[in-house]
Amino acid sequence: MLYYVFPSAWESDICGPHSPDLMVKIARESGTLAYRDEGRNKDKVRLPDYPTGTRVYVIRPDLLPEV
């Protein structure tokens, strides 16, 4: 299972008061952030409302760190 998170939701709902770059770093280090290209944090995926694709953060919820 994967979660697709739009950049606006990443900043407002996931990061909250924290820096989006810091949250990306934490997600990468924990293995939670799935990505295909080493230089990119977002992947281009096709979604029902975006048949040509859009860039989103891809999260693997099974690897979320425990808090």
Side-chain angles (χ1 to χ4, degrees):
M1 174 186 281
L2 297 173
Y3 292 156
Y4 299 120
V5 182
F6 287 98
S8 58
W10 178 265
E11 290 181 16
S12 64
D13 299 331
I14 293 178
C15 298
H18 305 289
S19 162
D21 293 333
L22 173 65
M23 297 304 285
V24 164
K25 181 181 176 190
I26 292 169
R28 278 179 156 252
E29 289 175 355
S30 69
T32 305
L33 185 65
Y35 52 91
R36 286 178 276 204
D37 297 328
E38 186 60 37
R40 295 188 176 265
N41 296 317
K42 295 175 268 194
D43 276 343
K44 187 172 184 178
V45 296
R46 290 182 185 170
L47 300 172
D49 289 341
Y50 300 89
T52 59
T54 187
R55 292 217 172 262
V56 294
Y57 293 97
V58 181
I59 303 296
R60 297 180 57 192
D62 56 319
L63 296 178
L64 285 170
E66 302 251 347
V67 288

